[in-house]
Amino acid sequence: MVYVSTFQGTHSRYLLVSKPHPLLLQRRVAMVDVSKWPLFTLLSAQELASIRHACIFGTSANEAIYITHDDEVYVLGLNCSNCLGTGDSQSTIVPKKLDCLTGKKLVSLSYGSGPHVLLATEEGELYVWGHNGYSQLGNGTTNQGVSPVLVSTNLQNKRVTEVACGSHHSLALTHEGEVFAWGYNNCGQVGSGSTANQPTPRKVSNCLQSKVMVSIACGQTSSMAVADNGEVYGWGYNGNGQLGLGNNGNQLTPCRLIALQGFCVVQIASGYAHSLALTDEGLLYAWGANTYGQLGTGNKSNQLSPVQVMNIEKSVKIAPCHILCCYITVLYLLSEHDDFLTVAQSLKKEFDNPETSDLKFSVDGKYIHVHKAVLKIRKFRTVGTFFLYPSKNEWIWMSLTGLLDLATSYCENRLKKLCQHIIKRGITVENAFSLLSAAIRYDAEDLEEFCFKFCVNHLTEVTQTAAFWQIDGNMLKEFISRAGHCGAFKN
């Protein structure tokens, strides 16, 4: 029997385990046959039999790390951004051993969108490699890590017990209950009180200063932590309410989730833009983005504050899995049947299906029905084509704001600029204030300035639209104040 450990990555999904379950003590997810995963068909029967843990990642599940029963670490696959740590940029279909990690018992592993990889050993050492464009490796540079290196800056005499990766930022939890953060910080996800990137591990203090933290998790550009007394704290991007604070404002320092006061949370898990919390009584709470029903609330409405997930048995563990590792669990569940489709076949079957689509584009007057989740996985490589055919229909411009949100979260600056450029061409009196709100929410400064000037120049008409009066009260006050300073209300 081979196991896929519940290592954490971004775009996370969750496996809910209910009592009783014999694997809980092992903290692993059982899998029938690892060779059913396409990448592992490259291995011999002897190599497959040697695997104790396996971790598959990458935009198309093209990279893998596995640990043998002898505690040897092997990698194979595409090697995007040197994420295999082999010392070069060459892809490999033959497993390569990472000699520097041989014999080191792995206790925690996580990977980001670059991807970059963090690994903590039983001795408390932290090894990193892969993409480093925002110093997410914590080694003080922006040079890609071609092989595992030990990170010790600000971690001397610290024993790292858990690691977590966001899109381009990283967290580490120490044995003493301290949280360290570093990397990309555009939304405050490092928790330093500013939006300046952090090149080396920095202790997250503020309201965590006197707390002993026991668990950490990363969303795409957000961070969460649980204290030993069951309190939950969040910081970073909050555009979908994934911090659970009752609003959608970003937080530059940790903030406690007041809505969970009175509950003792024992575990936290984060997905791309939503979060789950498990209490010591087995109650499950969820909040944040809910476009695909990932909160389990019976609807697809985002939740700014934690809500209890009903109609389930008492839970004893939530297991965060990378979206691609989640497919392994799906394969396990379906393996009892001979007629199930592969992942590729399922995606092909659902392409342009209006019944399952949650986004549509107009191309030469015809609709193409697509799925946001697939666009996220593909990192927008297929999206550019659709932008060649901008539509004057109202819905397409609002859909573009959704893509602007994704571009911001994935740090895809080129796509972000393209979205802003096209949105500007579709601005009208009716949608101007909604677009201004979106620009502020997604940190699109150029678009924000453009929309603000448009609203001021058409102030009378804009203030008579439904969008103007449906906007958040704080934003409305800020707009009026800013417009006043520009002389918009002078006779």
Side-chain angles (χ1 to χ4, degrees):
M1 182 70 72
V2 179
Y3 295 97
V4 176
S5 295
T6 57
F7 298 139
Q8 181 181 2
T10 52
H11 323 301
S12 303
R13 296 278 177 89
Y14 307 95
L15 175 68
L16 184 63
V17 182
S18 298
K19 296 179 181 177
H21 198 292
L23 297 182
L24 287 175
L25 296 179
Q26 303 176 60
R27 298 186 65 179
R28 299 164 186 166
V29 181
M31 199 177 86
V32 174
D33 185 359
V34 73
S35 66
K36 290 187 180 296
W37 194 255
L39 190 59
F40 282 108
T41 61
L42 301 171
L43 275 60
S44 67
Q46 184 178 358
E47 289 169 328
L48 289 172
S50 71
I51 298 176
R52 178 165 55 90
H53 295 307
C55 176
I56 303 169
F57 59 101
T59 55
S60 300
N62 286 331
E63 287 97 10
I65 300 174
Y66 68 85
I67 299 94
T68 68
H69 294 288
D70 297 326
D71 288 316
E72 294 180 327
V73 180
Y74 287 86
V75 295
L76 75 157
L78 191 59
N79 204 18
C80 177
S81 299
N82 303 107
C83 63
L84 295 185
T86 55
D88 55 48
S89 59
Q90 299 300 310
S91 301
T92 177
I93 61 175
V94 177
K96 289 187 177 182
K97 184 166 68 171
L98 300 184
D99 291 317
C100 64
L101 298 178
T102 296
K104 295 183 180 294
K105 295 184 182 297
L106 180 152
V107 296
S108 182
L109 183 147
S110 187
Y111 42 92
S113 297
H116 69 290
V117 182
L118 269 62
L119 182 152
T121 70
E122 192 174 60
E123 293 76 24
E125 297 174 321
L126 174 62
Y127 288 88
V128 300
W129 66 92
H131 190 266
N132 196 33
Y134 298 91
S135 298
Q136 57 264 49
L137 297 186
N139 58 8
T141 75
T142 54
N143 300 324
Q144 289 195 19
V146 297
S147 58
V149 295
L150 183 65
V151 174
S152 59
T153 303
N154 298 330
L155 293 175
Q156 298 92 339
N157 303 318
K158 303 290 185 182
R159 180 183 169 192
V160 175
T161 58
E162 186 179 357
V163 292
C165 290
S167 173
H168 297 89
H169 78 288
S170 306
L171 295 183
L173 178 67
T174 70
H175 179 70
E176 295 78 17
E178 301 169 310
V179 177
F180 287 81
W182 61 95
Y184 196 38
N185 194 33
N186 64 324
C187 301
Q189 55 266 44
V190 169
S192 60
S194 73
T195 55
N197 293 350
Q198 178 63 37
T200 57
R202 175 190 180 278
K203 183 179 177 180
V204 182
S205 52
N206 300 95
C207 60
L208 302 188
Q209 184 65 41
S210 59
K211 303 289 183 180
V212 177
M213 312 310 290
V214 296
S215 182
I216 55 175
C218 284
Q220 195 70 2
T221 47
S222 60
S223 304
M224 306 290 295
V226 179
D228 60 353
N229 62 358
E231 295 176 348
V232 179
Y233 294 83
W235 60 98
Y237 184 65
N238 194 34
N240 297 286
Q242 55 262 59
L243 299 186
L245 303 175
N247 58 58
N248 57 7
N250 296 350
Q251 297 294 329
L252 304 185
T253 57
C255 292
R256 183 182 173 190
L257 276 69
I258 302 299
L260 291 176
Q261 185 171 352
F263 298 97
C264 181
V265 173
V266 295
Q267 189 188 357
I268 194 80
S270 291
Y272 161 74
H274 72 292
S275 304
L276 300 179
L278 184 65
T279 73
D280 59 351
E281 296 178 330
L283 302 179
L284 183 65
Y285 288 83
W287 61 94
N290 196 28
T291 307
Y292 314 109
Q294 58 264 51
L295 300 186
T297 56
N299 58 55
K300 293 186 178 181
S301 300
N302 291 0
Q303 296 292 334
L304 302 183
S305 297
V307 294
Q308 185 179 349
V309 181
M310 309 299 290
N311 301 321
I312 60 172
E313 299 178 23
K314 284 193 174 182
S315 308
V316 291
K317 182 172 177 59
I318 43 176
C321 302
H322 192 285
I323 189 169
L324 296 175
C325 284
C326 184
Y327 291 150
I328 297 176
T329 303
V330 173
L331 288 175
Y332 168 60
L333 294 175
L334 296 178
S335 61
E336 299 176 358
H337 307 282
D338 296 328
D339 57 350
F340 69 90
L341 298 177
T342 65
V343 173
Q345 289 170 333
S346 297
L347 292 175
K348 183 177 180 180
K349 178 175 178 289
E350 294 304 319
F351 179 75
D352 203 21
N353 185 346
E355 294 183 0
T356 61
S357 167
D358 52 11
L359 185 65
K360 59 183 179 179
F361 293 93
S362 178
V363 180
D364 290 336
K366 297 180 180 180
Y367 287 146
I368 294 180
H369 298 84
V370 298
H371 304 77
K372 291 180 182 178
V374 177
L375 297 183
K376 292 176 186 176
I377 295 171
R378 295 299 301 158
K379 282 192 174 181
F380 315 105
R381 292 189 180 111
T382 60
V383 176
T385 304
F386 298 118
F387 288 123
L388 298 177
Y389 304 90
S391 168
K392 289 297 181 181
N393 295 333
E394 180 67 20
W395 64 264
I396 189 65
W397 302 111
M398 301 315 295
S399 296
L400 284 171
T401 62
L403 290 175
L404 179 62
D405 178 20
L406 301 183
T408 301
S409 297
Y410 275 93
C411 310
E412 294 282 351
N413 294 327
R414 181 176 175 275
L415 176 62
K416 186 173 182 178
K417 290 180 180 178
L418 182 59
C419 286
Q420 293 182 73
H421 175 71
I422 297 177
I423 289 172
K424 288 179 185 178
R425 292 165 53 189
I427 194 170
T428 66
V429 168
E430 292 297 325
N431 67 20
F433 217 76
S434 296
L435 294 178
L436 174 61
S437 176
I440 295 172
R441 187 180 310 118
Y442 305 136
D443 298 318
E445 296 179 0
D446 184 53
L447 179 61
E448 177 185 347
E449 185 63 24
F450 178 87
C451 292
F452 174 76
K453 290 180 179 179
F454 184 94
C455 289
V456 170
N457 292 336
H458 302 82
L459 189 60
T460 301
E461 296 89 345
V462 168
T463 55
Q464 295 175 0
T465 63
F468 182 84
W469 296 107
Q470 292 173 357
I471 213 67
D472 173 74
N474 291 330
M475 183 191 160
L476 187 58
K477 292 178 182 178
E478 177 65 25
F479 172 79
I480 293 174
S481 174
R482 186 177 171 188
H485 283 95
C486 293
F489 303 112
K490 292 181 180 180
N491 292 328

